[in-house]
Amino acid sequence: MTVVEAKNLHKRYQLGKHVVNALDGVNFCVEKGEFVAIMGASGSGKSTLLHLLGGLDKPSDGEVILAGKRLSVLDDGQATLVRRHNVGFVFQFYNLLPTLTAEENIMLPILIDGKDPRYYEQRLQTLLELVGLSDRRRHKPDQLSGGEQQRVALARALITEPAIVLADEPTGNLDSKTGVLIMELLRRSCDQLSQTIVVVTHDPRAATYADRIVFLKDGQIKVEIQLKHNQTPVQRLRLVMKTMAKLEA
Amino acid sequence: MVLSRLLIFRSLRSRPTRVLLSAFGIILGVASMLAIGITNLTALDSVTRLFKNTSGNASLMIVSADSTQRGFSERVLRRVENIPGVAVAIPTIQVKTLLAEQISTDQIDLSFFGASMGGLTLYGIDPELDIRARTYQISEGRFLSNDHTTNEIVLVKSYADQEGIGLGDWVSILSPKGAQRFRVVGLITKDGPGQINNGAFGVIPLKTAQNVFDRPGYADQIDIVVSSAYSSSDALESLRLDIQERLGKDYAVIYPASQGRRMAQMLGSYQIGLNFLSGIALFVGAFLIYNAFAMTVVERTREFGMLRTVGMTRFQVTRQVVIEAFVLGVLGSILGVGLGIFLARGLSRLMGIMMNQEMGTIRIDPNVLATSLLVGVTVTVLAALIPAWQAGRISPLEALRIRGTGRDSWLIVHGWSIGLGLLLVSLVILILNPFPYDVQFRLGSLVVFALFGGATLILPASVSLWEQVSRPFMRRIYGNSGRLGSSNVQRAKLRTTLTVAALMIGVAMILIVRGMTESFSGDLKEWINAYIGGDLYVSSSVGLRRDIARRLESVEGVTAVAPIRYLDVKWLKPDGNEQDLSLMAIDPAIHGRVTSFVFSDKATNPRMAMQHLAEGDTVFISSVISEKYGLKEGDVIRLRTHIGTKDFRVAAVVVDFYNQGQVIEGSWGDLRRYFRVNDATAYMIKVKDGYDVQEVQNRIDALYGARDRLIIESNQEIKQRISQLMDQAFIMFDVLALIAMLVASLGVVNTLTMNVIERTQEIGMLRSVGMTRWQVVGMVLAEAGLMGLIGGIFGLILGVILSRIFMISMTAMSGYNLTYVFPVQGVVVGLAIALFVSQIAAILPARRAAMTPILDAIHYE
């Protein structure tokens, strides 16, 4: 079952007198329970693709179908509701509310939706255990490390059981050890919760946790590789590096 | 609700400084508004209460309908007593006198804002009857005995203490029959009737009073206590009409409290001015609130962006900010009410000094309280609406950026055209001025806000010009870092604009207040100089006979003696209504030798005008009456005189503020002919050239001071006293202007703190490449200084324009047609305060910027 589908996506920006093609005819889809990584150099259009997939921005041409809904025909209010119910976001800089505790930050989408948080207590417990923060649930962001903050952000993205989690450079602001931890968590939520995940990253090590890697260059998908379960991490990394080298050449 | 609690209250709690700063805007605005409201009501109350206390249980009183008559025959008492419904009728004689031992100039009766001050007020009463109406609280001794002919007196204790009089002492009191000795048999507290004349009050037996003050068989007033069946207002009114009908038109049957109404009316325009200025203070407060919220939104761009990505709708985000504003508005308004009540105490005391009357406890009216709260909350929410809407417009993509980007809004880029339009329209309205007076006032108020709005919109477009012009100065004062600071003004334009606008309004307010004060006191002084012409002013508490003039003229050193007689007269207006006016009668033959009139129309020939007055059947009218009722030279004014109604031709329009300008001037001949009055209120004396005024004063005092109970004052002393009173009257306006300035200074703190926070990384970089802490301080101070300069200069321009508008409004309201005096002092003070305030307010943010460790600053996100 397809969770999100991009059809002939184009995104153009006006930069002074020049028109920049951030995306140039991208066709792309993600199946339920799939973990996809989008890779590419700076300016390759990977973040733009993620924004369009999550309904944060509108394409210049083409369309995105998310959870069966054509995002391009929705107005802002409708797109907001689609996001609220179907998408979980993880940002590079965590973006937690400094005034709320970890658990309150996690429950934020539930509260925004006007639902009673008590019904989600079980889900909260599960997620806190998954991200390993049960003992720090009442801490505020400034009392948490970067890795812990990103884990809270991940739990927040998962609380509504969204159709898809979109992560934009989730390890970009973390040291490599903590980065590994976050990627393992994403992997685990895919495996244990059947969560569909799309991660944008330029870190090849992070990308090896995905089932499939899509390589973007100049706004176009150049290569896609499928990673197998029986491959060792080293084999996966070698494959990713080789593809990247080929693409650069 | 849970979400609101989590997001809104925590957000407010997490930014205590910002919340405090925005709340200050509301607190000060609401406080000044409430304080003015309370003070106005308290003043009104105290006046009403005073007149009510004077009458005690009496529900009605009878006075002579013709104020030129000195009282009426006691016989009327018997007619009144028999009217059904009248329980007791109490006659009194009321006289203004002095203690013979202590004639000092400050005891002289002087009227300002309609309040009478100084002297000793004595009531001649029937002790048995009087206590049935008035309650005298005896603190020492006893009340008057029932022997109506003894020379007993009961004084107010505070007055007796002040004059060094004790129980059992004999005091001498001036009367037409010379000094009369009275024994103090009792002292009363300063309550009820004890408050009359601010405590300078005493009672003596009625018969003694009639005898001593040469009024046998006369009463000035009859107080009526009605039987219980007539206590309802309808019954009372029908009784009043019944008595009025039985007594005829020579008597006026009135309610005791209605006496206070005239005084309240006099305070009216003064209070409108205060209300208007407190409104502007709140307006400045709104700027501060807007600014604080606009900053909060910029600061929280990423937060709002994130909330949008996780599914918050635009409406939800906007609503969140609006609720935050509401909560802040409620909190700020409640605190403002507290401060307002505190402030009201001070202002009421000031008002009390001005009116020479104790204000008593302040009256906190629920309506005023509710209005202040409502206005406070509404203004806060309104001020936060645009920032709230902007918060809702934040794109979810902003969340993904490291920092929110503050793009210049449409108003900042294009607002100048609207601003220019607003300014032009306002100015055209002002210059053409095609509207009738009552419209002018409302329009004037609107134009004030339009001008403020227009100038605010023009600010952003002019900032870069200002910056370029002042850059060399900033560089000179603060060095190279000053140049950097000065150019920083151009970065956060919205924030800077609003801060500068708040400073601008503050300075404009100072200018308005100063402009008005200087113009008003300029005209007032000119009038006083003419009014209290000559060198000496001779008055007496017991009436001055005409022959005293001859004696004064014979004193060595005196060259001319001009009499003045004040009289209350009734003007029969063309619309059929009657109005009380003061008539000042002068002797046209002598007046010009001692003093002069200030004619409104500079083309008036003073000699011809005086000649017309001497010919009789003519009057001068004050410019206030002329403006207010559209009367001019050649028109006719009909007065009720002793021999019936009589038309007087207006010979000239003069500047005269006596009795709030409700005054006309007539000749001595007409006074005798039509009003049968032949004594003087005062004599103005011109001293011969070469003679020392003080010496002549002493000579008159030695010759006639004691003999004729004269009070001789030099004009210098009187003028000083009046100008002191005037200064007190204007202090309240200054207080309000300073409050607005204080609010504006908070805006500077807010803006600079925000700028410093936003540029933490940049400041860290500057420090790392070698900028010293002092240079950082200089940079921030330069930015603030430039804000102060722009705000100051814009404020000065607006202030000058607005003070002129205010004068137009004032003319429309009260008829005072003032000559505009350019407020030089205000210009200097306004600009100095703007610069000073901006520097003081910048100290904290500058310190913050300078003290942040370099590494922390560089890694600040």
Side-chain angles (χ1 to χ4, degrees):
Chain A
M1 189 182 125
T2 304
V3 174
V4 67
E5 187 177 6
K7 289 182 180 171
N8 193 27
L9 273 190
H10 287 266
K11 182 71 186 176
R12 288 179 284 272
Y13 294 108
Q14 190 81 31
L15 214 70
K17 287 179 182 167
H18 303 283
V19 175
V20 177
N21 279 313
L23 286 181
D24 190 12
V26 170
N27 288 292
F28 171 74
C29 70
V30 182
E31 297 299 318
K32 183 164 168 48
E34 205 182 359
F35 186 162
V36 180
I38 302 172
M39 287 199 73
S42 263
S44 60
K46 53 188 190 302
S47 286
T48 308
L49 178 58
L50 193 84
H51 299 162
L52 294 177
L53 293 179
L56 294 178
D57 207 352
K58 292 206 166 181
S60 310
D61 268 318
E63 68 177 345
V64 175
I65 300 164
L66 174 66
K69 293 185 178 72
R70 291 169 60 200
L71 296 186
S72 49
V73 298
L74 302 181
D75 63 22
D76 182 80
Q78 291 165 324
T80 303
L81 291 182
V82 169
R83 273 204 306 276
R84 187 191 288 178
H85 299 131
N86 300 291
V87 187
F89 281 99
V90 179
F91 305 107
Q92 182 180 356
F93 294 103
Y94 336 128
N95 282 22
L96 302 180
L97 286 195
T99 53
L100 304 190
T101 62
E103 62 178 358
E104 286 164 348
N105 263 298
I106 295 171
M107 290 298 251
L108 196 58
I110 300 298
L111 294 168
I112 288 173
D113 205 23
K115 291 180 181 144
D116 190 338
R118 281 173 300 181
Y119 296 120
Y120 291 81
E121 191 53 40
Q122 189 55 46
R123 175 84 178 161
L124 177 68
Q125 284 293 348
T126 312
L127 290 175
L128 279 169
E129 276 164 34
L130 178 79
V131 299
L133 287 175
S134 298
D135 56 336
R136 300 182 75 76
R137 57 191 293 172
R138 296 198 203 288
H139 287 58
K140 288 200 174 160
D142 57 1
Q143 298 165 311
L144 300 173
S145 70
E148 286 170 330
Q149 288 190 53
Q150 194 60 304
R151 281 187 271 161
V152 173
L154 177 60
R156 182 182 66 193
L158 294 170
I159 188 78
T160 55
E161 299 181 60
I164 192 164
V165 167
L166 300 174
D168 191 0
E169 301 278 8
T171 60
N173 204 33
L174 301 171
D175 59 73
S176 58
K177 216 166 141 189
T178 319
V180 166
L181 201 71
I182 292 298
M183 290 314 294
E184 277 174 356
L185 273 175
L186 282 167
R187 183 70 251 173
R188 212 181 303 153
S189 45
C190 178
D191 295 340
Q192 291 176 8
L193 308 171
S194 303
Q195 182 62 59
T196 311
I197 297 170
V198 175
V199 174
V200 161
T201 182
H202 61 268
D203 176 8
R205 219 176 289 266
T208 58
Y209 288 84
D211 302 319
R212 177 159 62 104
I213 305 176
V214 175
F215 289 90
L216 276 181
K217 192 179 175 186
D218 301 331
Q220 291 177 329
I221 295 179
K222 296 292 181 189
V223 191
E224 275 192 51
I225 56 170
Q226 200 78 35
L227 299 172
K228 297 190 181 79
H229 286 286
N230 53 9
Q231 284 173 320
T232 64
V234 179
Q235 285 173 320
R236 288 168 172 237
L237 187 60
R238 206 170 284 156
L239 182 61
V240 173
M241 301 290 276
K242 217 162 88 183
T243 316
M244 283 172 73
K246 211 185 279 176
L247 213 61
E248 271 168 34
Chain B
M1 193 57 219
V2 183
L3 183 66
S4 303
R5 205 190 63 223
L6 274 182
L7 295 182
I8 293 159
F9 287 97
R10 298 242 185 122
S11 158
L12 289 174
R13 242 175 32 206
S14 69
R15 295 174 175 81
T17 326
R18 183 72 41 77
V19 169
L20 211 65
L21 279 171
S22 354
F24 256 126
I26 312 160
I27 293 171
L28 287 174
V30 169
S32 59
M33 190 179 151
L34 182 69
I36 295 300
I38 291 178
T39 307
N40 286 349
L41 273 180
T42 307
L44 186 66
D45 259 17
S46 83
V47 172
T48 315
R49 195 177 50 239
L50 176 74
F51 286 105
K52 230 178 144 185
N53 280 338
T54 316
S55 300
N57 296 332
S59 310
L60 294 172
M61 52 195 263
I62 301 168
V63 291
S64 173
D66 183 355
S67 54
T68 59
Q69 291 290 326
R70 296 187 68 191
F72 43 77
S73 167
E74 232 182 338
R75 278 196 297 266
V76 77
L77 192 65
R78 255 161 257 137
R79 284 163 65 193
V80 175
E81 278 169 344
N82 296 329
I83 298 172
V86 174
V88 197
I90 305 150
T92 51
I93 273 201
Q94 302 173 357
V95 288
K96 199 95 185 195
T97 179
L98 291 171
L99 291 173
E101 295 91 347
Q102 285 154 358
I103 300 177
S104 65
T105 50
D106 60 336
Q107 288 193 34
I108 297 172
D109 197 32
L110 203 131
S111 171
F112 200 69
F113 286 104
S116 182
M117 33 207 327
L120 170 66
T121 298
L122 279 189
Y123 274 22
I125 59 161
D126 179 331
E128 277 168 286
L129 287 179
D130 210 78
I131 50 170
R132 293 181 64 180
R134 287 177 267 264
T135 313
Y136 298 91
Q137 301 281 349
I138 304 286
S139 73
E140 279 176 47
R142 60 171 174 81
F143 199 57
L144 298 177
S145 67
N146 289 339
D147 180 353
H148 295 190
T149 55
T150 58
N151 275 22
E152 290 178 348
I153 188 168
V154 171
L155 289 169
V156 178
K157 184 160 179 2
S158 58
Y159 176 74
D161 288 347
Q162 187 192 315
E163 299 293 332
I165 300 165
L167 189 68
D169 287 357
W170 286 87
V171 292
S172 286
I173 285 169
L174 290 181
S175 82
K177 292 183 171 173
Q180 299 289 322
R181 281 162 63 75
F182 284 82
R183 200 166 76 85
V184 180
V185 295
L187 297 172
I188 56 168
T189 59
K190 202 176 168 183
D191 299 303
Q195 292 172 51
I196 294 171
N197 196 28
N198 204 22
F201 171 72
V203 286
I204 55 175
L206 180 66
K207 289 275 180 279
T208 311
Q210 287 172 333
N211 179 30
V212 167
F213 290 96
D214 215 6
R215 323 255 315 268
Y218 273 83
D220 287 316
Q221 183 179 313
I222 294 175
D223 293 291
I224 295 171
V225 179
V226 300
S227 47
S228 55
Y230 288 84
S231 55
S232 77
S233 57
D234 286 348
L236 192 63
E237 176 61 14
S238 70
L239 178 64
R240 187 185 74 81
L241 293 172
D242 184 24
I243 301 173
Q244 181 73 68
E245 201 186 345
R246 284 168 190 250
L247 294 183
K249 64 177 175 49
D250 290 342
Y251 301 88
V253 186
I254 57 174
Y255 294 106
S258 67
Q259 282 180 310
R261 210 170 291 156
R262 182 159 164 240
M263 200 153 150
Q265 275 169 357
M266 289 175 176
L267 284 170
S269 49
Y270 182 69
Q271 289 172 336
I272 289 174
L274 286 178
N275 283 334
F276 195 80
L277 283 185
S278 71
I280 296 186
L282 197 68
F283 186 62
V284 178
F287 268 64
L288 186 70
I289 298 157
Y290 174 89
N291 214 350
F293 271 92
M295 286 179 208
T296 307
V297 169
V298 172
E299 196 186 29
R300 289 158 68 190
T301 298
R302 264 221 289 168
E303 176 184 325
F304 291 129
M306 185 276 291
L307 288 169
R308 296 272 291 121
T309 55
V310 298
M312 216 180 215
T313 59
R314 284 183 176 164
F315 176 72
Q316 280 178 309
V317 173
T318 302
R319 191 181 58 187
Q320 193 202 328
V321 179
V322 170
I323 297 175
E324 267 185 45
F326 178 79
V327 172
L328 197 68
V330 170
L331 288 176
S333 301
I334 290 172
L335 289 174
V337 163
L339 182 68
I341 291 172
F342 181 75
L343 203 63
R345 284 179 207 280
L347 289 183
S348 296
R349 206 164 298 154
L350 210 63
M351 190 80 121
I353 293 171
M354 252 164 52
M355 294 166 63
N356 189 36
Q357 191 175 317
E358 254 172 45
M359 289 288 119
T361 43
I362 55 166
R363 172 171 155 210
I364 304 163
D365 181 71
N367 283 332
V368 176
L369 207 67
T371 312
S372 307
L373 278 172
L374 192 72
V375 169
V377 175
T378 312
V379 165
T380 315
V381 171
L382 285 180
L385 272 186
I386 295 178
W389 179 77
Q390 283 169 335
R393 305 298 299 175
I394 289 172
S395 142
L397 281 175
E398 303 283 354
L400 308 176
R401 302 206 174 106
I402 293 175
R403 196 183 302 283
T405 51
R407 254 175 301 132
D408 281 345
S409 70
W410 186 90
L411 271 182
I412 291 291
V413 184
H414 305 285
W416 64 270
S417 49
I418 300 176
L420 208 60
L422 267 177
L423 282 182
L424 283 177
V425 169
S426 317
L427 289 176
V428 164
I429 289 175
L430 288 174
I431 293 163
L432 293 182
N433 204 13
F435 304 99
Y437 277 145
D438 53 333
V439 180
Q440 266 181 34
F441 174 64
R442 288 189 192 93
L443 206 65
S445 315
L446 268 181
V447 164
V448 171
F449 290 96
L451 276 174
F452 280 144
T456 306
L457 287 169
I458 283 182
L459 279 173
S462 68
V463 162
S464 79
L465 183 75
W466 282 102
E467 198 271 310
Q468 278 167 28
V469 172
S470 60
R471 199 182 292 168
F473 299 103
M474 291 300 162
R475 191 178 197 161
R476 182 158 295 177
I477 300 170
Y478 300 102
N480 275 336
S481 56
R483 187 197 169 285
L484 216 58
S486 136
S487 60
N488 275 342
V489 167
Q490 295 200 51
R491 292 173 65 179
K493 272 195 183 147
L494 175 70
R495 212 178 293 157
T496 307
T497 300
L498 289 169
T499 313
V500 170
L503 282 170
M504 168 186 85
I505 297 174
V507 172
M509 266 180 82
I510 292 177
L511 255 281
I512 292 166
V513 170
R514 286 283 104 208
M516 296 288 287
T517 310
E518 284 174 35
S519 301
F520 199 81
S521 57
D523 270 26
L524 214 55
K525 275 180 188 145
E526 193 187 4
W527 163 64
I528 287 167
N529 277 336
Y531 168 66
I532 309 169
D535 302 303
L536 293 170
Y537 191 82
V538 176
S539 60
S540 168
S541 60
V542 289
L544 290 164
R545 290 192 314 276
R546 193 72 176 90
D547 60 328
I548 291 179
R550 276 198 300 276
R551 270 182 266 158
L552 291 172
E553 274 164 7
S554 65
V555 175
E556 190 193 346
V558 172
T559 177
V561 178
I564 297 178
R565 176 63 155 99
Y566 279 106
L567 199 66
D568 290 337
V569 292
K570 294 249 187 269
W571 170 28
L572 299 160
K573 291 197 283 188
D575 61 8
N577 290 323
E578 280 196 6
Q579 178 164 340
D580 288 321
L581 291 180
S582 287
L583 167 69
M584 180 176 99
I586 56 135
D587 187 343
I590 312 167
H591 201 76
R593 288 172 59 196
V594 178
T595 181
S596 58
F597 283 104
V598 181
F599 293 97
S600 284
D601 184 353
K602 300 294 172 214
T604 305
N605 180 343
R607 194 185 292 269
M608 288 298 289
M610 288 302 252
Q611 202 178 321
H612 287 314
L613 205 63
E615 285 162 7
D617 297 352
T618 46
V619 287
F620 294 166
I621 59 170
S622 76
S623 52
V624 176
I625 293 178
S626 164
E627 285 284 340
K628 205 165 179 177
Y629 303 101
L631 289 172
K632 56 185 190 307
E633 202 179 313
D635 287 346
V636 163
I637 191 163
R638 178 169 294 175
L639 301 178
R640 192 190 283 281
T641 72
H642 204 72
I643 56 162
T645 56
K646 166 85 193 134
D647 286 347
F648 293 83
R649 191 172 56 81
V650 175
V653 178
V654 294
V655 176
D656 192 340
F657 295 112
Y658 183 82
N659 189 21
Q660 308 278 301
Q662 304 299 308
V663 61
I664 56 175
E665 293 77 14
S667 75
W668 202 262
D670 283 350
L671 180 77
R672 272 189 297 196
R673 209 165 24 246
Y674 300 117
F675 297 95
R676 302 268 188 266
V677 172
N678 194 25
D679 59 357
T681 311
Y683 286 107
M684 291 191 289
I685 294 177
K686 179 85 183 159
V687 171
K688 263 186 204 151
D689 288 344
Y691 279 86
D692 180 49
V693 173
Q694 183 66 48
E695 264 175 36
V696 177
Q697 182 177 356
N698 292 344
R699 205 167 294 147
I700 297 173
D701 196 24
L703 286 169
Y704 306 111
R707 192 178 130 189
D708 291 316
R709 316 291 160 212
L710 300 183
I711 301 158
I712 309 130
E713 244 185 321
S714 87
N715 291 349
Q716 223 48 45
E717 289 165 344
I718 299 181
K719 283 171 195 168
Q720 214 174 338
R721 219 143 41 90
I722 292 176
S723 104
Q724 225 170 3
L725 275 171
M726 246 158 39
D727 290 344
Q728 282 167 350
F730 284 107
I731 276 181
M732 289 220 252
F733 292 105
D734 285 325
V735 168
L736 284 175
L738 286 178
I739 285 180
M741 210 58 211
L742 182 64
V743 176
S745 73
L746 293 173
V748 177
V749 176
N750 212 355
T751 296
L752 289 174
T753 308
M754 194 59 211
N755 289 354
V756 164
I757 291 173
E758 217 175 63
R759 297 174 199 151
T760 303
Q761 254 184 347
E762 177 185 309
I763 291 167
M765 181 274 291
L766 289 169
R767 294 266 292 118
S768 68
V769 297
M771 195 181 238
T772 64
R773 287 189 201 280
W774 279 113
Q775 282 175 316
V776 173
V777 170
M779 184 173 73
V780 178
L781 288 183
E783 189 176 348
L786 189 55
M787 286 186 197
L789 188 72
I790 305 175
I793 291 177
F794 264 79
L796 292 183
I797 298 168
L798 268 190
V800 170
I801 297 172
L802 282 172
S803 50
R804 301 214 68 149
I805 299 175
F806 269 51
M807 301 239 300
I808 294 169
S809 310
M810 194 154 165
T811 310
M813 275 186 317
S814 62
Y816 285 135
N817 194 1
L818 304 174
T819 320
Y820 184 69
V821 178
F822 187 79
V824 182
Q825 189 198 355
V827 169
V828 176
V829 170
L831 197 59
I833 288 184
L835 291 173
F836 179 73
V837 154
S838 68
Q839 294 299 283
I840 295 292
I843 288 177
L844 274 181
R847 190 175 171 275
R848 181 190 174 121
M851 297 311 284
T852 310
I854 299 177
L855 279 180
D856 287 3
I858 288 173
H859 292 128
Y860 180 85
E861 186 221 312

